[in-house]
Amino acid sequence: MCAVDKTAIGFLGLGAYVPERVLTNYDLEQMVDTSNDWIVTRTGIRERRICAPGEGAVAIATESARRALEDAKLAVDDIDLIICCTFTSETLCPSAACQVQRNLGATRPIPAFDLAAACSGFIYGCSVAASFIRSGVYRRVLVIGVDAISKFIDWSDRNTCVLFADGGGAAVLGQVEEGHGLLGQSLGADGSGADAIRLLSSGVADPFSATAMNGHRSTITMNGHDVFKFATRILGTAVEEALADAGQGLKAADLDLIIPHQANVRIIESAAKKLKLPMDRFVINIDKFGNTSAGTVPLAMNDARQDGRLKPGTLFAVVAFGGGLTYAASIWRW
Ligand code: UT7
């Protein structure tokens, strides 16, 4: 935990993008030994989006960023830093962030880098952005949270293939009106759980090609039980730590909205119980998009904004956990 300077740093614009192709639970029934009923009751997922051939994390990141800039009424050259939070980019070098900078047509040498904190990536990225802005180094930072996990799925592994999906979102951060923006945060990692979610290598532009990995494609593996245990413990705790960091006597009951990582609706229900909050205080869109890792939080923020639940004055928490095992929560007033 670390104290947040009270300089008002918040969201100037938001955008999100998901691939067009829909993969339903019924489609998965044809691919692996599972059922729509099992997936809905055990996870809350009904369908998810999957990249078209040739589409990947960079394309999702570029379109999300373009929409966030449009929402902020800014051009790419108004941005001082680009952070792309992902662990499933097509290439390890160049970074996804540099490719987004090129795709957006930047004419200035805007610094750009990727940040890998798995599903906690977007909240980590917003924290890094806020630190740069608070210290006066940069004025406006574009933070993108995106993953294209379908590229790294073993489609015969029902433990993972029913959960993960592709999509993402982006935000422009900068100075906002006093009393709004980032109020508190809690970032953490428990490396003792490092083996719970693993992807041995990334950066394969065409992971389906037989020659890409000498015939072996790197796919994601997960110990679902260990992650579930960690998640149910950490989600509520991280929000409470971020509230304590915000000070002002803020309590969970004061939050208008909680925007959690969309990994499993049962994990969100357990956080609601721990925080003693009704489920209608949580933003849930896992039914439509599944788990897009670093993409879930900006995607859910964007949905909440479009539904009118996230509006000027809303006091909200974002919270996530994931591979690493990492976790992150922050408290904001829109
Ligand atoms: O972003 C972070 C990423 N990861 C997570 O957040 C994952 C956290 N973990 C989970 O969400 C859950 O552990 C899973 C959804 C992965 C699994 O749910 P579960 O309730 O822990 O199921 P389970 O592994 O205990 O399996 C229960 C039963 C087993 O059958 P038996 O032994 O009771 O006959 C499994 O073989 O369900 C079976 N099963 C399935 N059945 C149909 C496991 N996966 C499936 C499946 N379809 N996809």
Side-chain angles (χ1 to χ4, degrees), residues 32-35 38-39 42-43 119 157-164 197 222-229 231 261-264 266-267 291 293 321-323:
V32 70
D33 180 17
T34 191
S35 67
W38 190 95
I39 303 172
R42 308 297 276 201
T43 72
C119 309
D157 175 12
R158 67 178 184 176
N159 186 39
T160 51
C161 76
V162 303
L163 297 178
F164 293 110
I197 302 178
M222 180 180 75
N223 180 328
H225 283 199
D226 284 0
V227 181
F228 196 90
K229 254 199 293 184
H261 173 44
Q262 313 283 312
N264 188 324
R266 290 188 290 136
I267 293 172
N291 181 349
S293 188
F321 62 90

Side-chain angles (χ1 to χ4, degrees), residues 27-43:
D27 295 328
L28 283 163
E29 281 182 357
Q30 308 305 312
M31 298 161 66
V32 70
D33 180 17
T34 191
S35 67
N36 172 61
D37 195 43
W38 190 95
I39 303 172
V40 172
T41 20
R42 308 297 276 201
T43 72

Side-chain angles (χ1 to χ4, degrees), residues 117-120 124 187-198 222-231 233-234 320-328:
C119 309
S120 311
Y124 266 60
L187 308 185
D190 178 1
S192 72
D195 291 337
I197 302 178
R198 277 158 63 91
M222 180 180 75
N223 180 328
H225 283 199
D226 284 0
V227 181
F228 196 90
K229 254 199 293 184
F230 174 75
R233 178 173 62 79
I234 211 67
F321 62 90
L325 292 167
T326 56
Y327 68 88

Side-chain angles (χ1 to χ4, degrees), residues 81-236:
L81 171 68
I82 301 172
I83 305 174
C84 188
C85 312
T86 186
F87 74 105
T88 54
S89 179
E90 293 93 312
T91 54
L92 283 177
C93 180
S95 67
C98 285
Q99 295 175 75
V100 169
Q101 189 231 52
R102 174 199 59 200
N103 294 350
L104 292 174
T107 64
R108 295 197 309 114
I110 303 166
F113 63 85
D114 288 358
L115 184 158
C119 309
S120 311
F122 182 74
I123 304 177
Y124 266 60
C126 287
S127 175
V128 172
S131 302
F132 271 121
I133 299 166
R134 190 182 315 122
S135 61
V137 176
Y138 298 126
R139 270 193 317 158
R140 299 187 195 102
V141 181
L142 176 62
V143 181
I144 307 161
V146 58
D147 273 303
I149 310 182
S150 72
K151 309 266 177 189
F152 304 98
I153 288 288
D154 171 357
W155 291 102
S156 66
D157 175 12
R158 67 178 184 176
N159 186 39
T160 51
C161 76
V162 303
L163 297 178
F164 293 110
D166 305 340
V172 180
L173 275 84
Q175 195 109 28
V176 293
E177 222 177 286
E178 206 54 47
H180 295 255
L182 180 61
L183 303 175
Q185 62 183 346
S186 171
L187 308 185
D190 178 1
S192 72
D195 291 337
I197 302 178
R198 277 158 63 91
L199 179 60
L200 295 186
S201 78
S202 182
V204 180
D206 179 10
F208 292 105
S209 140
T211 51
M213 306 277 293
N214 293 329
H216 299 287
R217 193 159 66 82
S218 186
T219 53
I220 195 161
T221 57
M222 180 180 75
N223 180 328
H225 283 199
D226 284 0
V227 181
F228 196 90
K229 254 199 293 184
F230 174 75
T232 48
R233 178 173 62 79
I234 211 67
L235 223 58

